[in-house]
Amino acid sequence: MRSIIEETLFEARNQGRSTFMPFLTAGFPNPSTCVEILVALAANGAGVIEVGLPFSDPVADGPTIQWANRQALDNGMTPAEVFRIVADARRQLSCPTVLMTYFNPLLRMGPKEFAVRAGDAGVAGVIVPDLPPEEADEWLAAAEDAGLDTIFLVAPNTPRQRLKRVMEKTSGFLYYVSTTGVTGSRFALSPEILAEVEHTRSVSTVPVAVGFGISTAEQARVVARAADGVIVGSALIKELQTVSSSAGQVAAASRFAVSLTKARETVGGVDTKRRTNEGP
C-alpha cells in the first residue's frame, strides 16, 4: 500500500508534471511567520513540504541553511517547538509534510518517542541525512509503528549495488542528491547525472526527488524532466533574506512558489503500476 507521499508524487507524475518540494527551516524567520510561509507555499503549488529541524552542526547543509539554523535556534527552537510549528501548519495544509533532522536530536529524544511525536504533529515522513540504512533498524521500526516514511539519500557516486540496498530501505521517496557537496552548492546537472537520475527512477519502486543546489526556474525545469520531485531550499531562504517584514516574507515565498511551480516541465507520465508490481 502506498503512503500519502508516494501517492502525491506518483499522481502528479501521471498527470505529466513533477512535484515542487520546498524546504524551510522550522522557526525561520520566526515561529509565527514560518507557519504563514508554509501555508503560503502549499497554497501556491507545493506538493510536498520539507521542514528542517534546526541543529547546531548541520553537516549536509551549506552556509545559507546553516545561517537559517542559527537564526531558528536563536529564536528558541527545540524539537518540541518544531513539532508545534508543524502541527500548527498541518491544520491548514492539504499537502504532506516531511521532517528533516540530523540523528543527534532524534537519538537524544529516543527513536520511539521522536517517531510518535512526529506522527502526532502530522508529519508524513522523516529524512535523517547522517543515518545510513545499515544502522537504521531501530529507527525504521519506530517509524513504521508511527506510520512514518523514512527517506534515504543517494548521490551520483553511489555504486549501483549500494543504490539497490538503499532503495530496499527507503519509503515515501528516494532523495537523489544532485551534487557531492552540501546544500546550496553550485548546480550544474550534467547529461551523465541526468541519465543517472533517469536510470534510478526507472528501477525505483518509490518516487525519486532531486535536491541540493537547485535555485532557478530553469534549473527546476531541467530536473523535472527526469525526476518525480524537485527540492529547493537554499534559494527560498535567500529570497526571504531580502525582505524584512513578515508580510513581505510571506509574499516573497508565494512568488517563489509560483515561479518554481510553473517551471515543472510537462513530460510523459510514468507507468507507476509497473514499477510497484500493482499491475501489468
Side-chain angles (χ1 to χ4, degrees):
M1 181 177 179
R2 291 176 179 168
S3 69
I4 183 62
I5 297 174
E6 293 171 7
E7 285 287 356
T8 299
L9 290 164
F10 276 145
E11 181 180 358
R13 178 56 66 171
N14 282 334
Q15 293 173 359
R17 55 186 171 82
S18 188
T19 298
F20 169 49
M21 304 169 64
F23 168 95
L24 183 66
T25 302
F28 174 82
N30 60 66
S32 60
T33 304
C34 180
V35 173
E36 293 183 60
I37 290 171
L38 294 174
V39 173
L41 291 169
N44 288 280
V48 176
I49 296 179
E50 184 182 336
V51 179
L53 191 153
F55 184 55
S56 58
D57 189 24
V59 294
D61 293 306
T64 300
I65 295 180
Q66 287 182 19
W67 179 84
N69 272 254
R70 174 48 54 192
Q71 294 295 310
L73 291 171
D74 290 345
N75 288 335
M77 283 297 100
T78 62
E81 281 297 297
V82 171
F83 293 140
R84 182 190 64 77
I85 284 176
V86 173
D88 287 349
R90 284 294 310 150
R91 284 190 281 270
Q92 306 174 68
L93 298 178
S94 58
C95 66
T97 304
V98 173
L99 183 66
M100 197 285 281
T101 179
Y102 289 90
F103 186 60
N104 277 17
L106 187 158
L107 180 63
R108 183 175 179 84
M109 183 176 289
K112 185 173 182 178
E113 182 178 354
F114 192 99
V116 169
R117 294 181 70 172
D120 289 346
V123 170
V126 177
I127 302 169
V128 191
D130 56 346
L131 177 63
E134 294 85 354
E135 300 175 17
D137 287 350
E138 183 180 4
W139 163 252
L140 286 169
E144 183 176 3
D145 288 344
L148 301 173
D149 284 324
T150 299
I151 295 107
F152 287 107
L153 292 76
V154 296
N157 59 350
T158 300
R160 292 284 174 90
Q161 193 58 38
R162 176 167 174 75
L163 173 63
K164 181 180 179 181
R165 293 198 301 271
V166 174
M167 286 191 298
E168 290 171 350
K169 295 279 189 176
T170 198
S171 58
F173 66 91
L174 182 67
Y175 195 133
Y176 193 99
V177 177
S178 64
T179 72
T180 54
V182 295
T183 59
S185 301
R186 185 177 179 181
F187 179 85
L189 192 64
S190 68
E192 291 77 17
I193 293 179
L194 192 62
E196 281 298 313
V197 173
E198 292 174 335
H199 166 77
T200 301
R201 182 166 163 261
S202 72
V203 298
S204 177
T205 59
V206 297
V208 176
V210 175
F212 280 49
I214 303 167
S215 60
T216 68
E218 180 54 36
Q219 290 170 342
R221 186 173 291 110
V222 171
V223 172
R225 298 187 185 115
D228 297 301
V230 180
I231 303 169
V232 184
S234 296
L236 170 60
I237 291 173
K238 286 179 180 178
E239 286 291 321
L240 300 177
Q241 287 175 329
T242 66
V243 188
S244 57
S245 70
S246 293
Q249 289 165 334
V250 173
S254 299
R255 290 192 299 270
F256 186 83
V258 169
S259 69
L260 269 292
T261 300
K262 288 181 177 179
R264 296 175 302 180
E265 187 77 6
T266 299
V267 295
V270 174
D271 183 358
T272 56
K273 288 185 178 180
R274 178 182 59 80
R275 289 162 59 191
T276 54
N277 296 320
E278 294 178 8

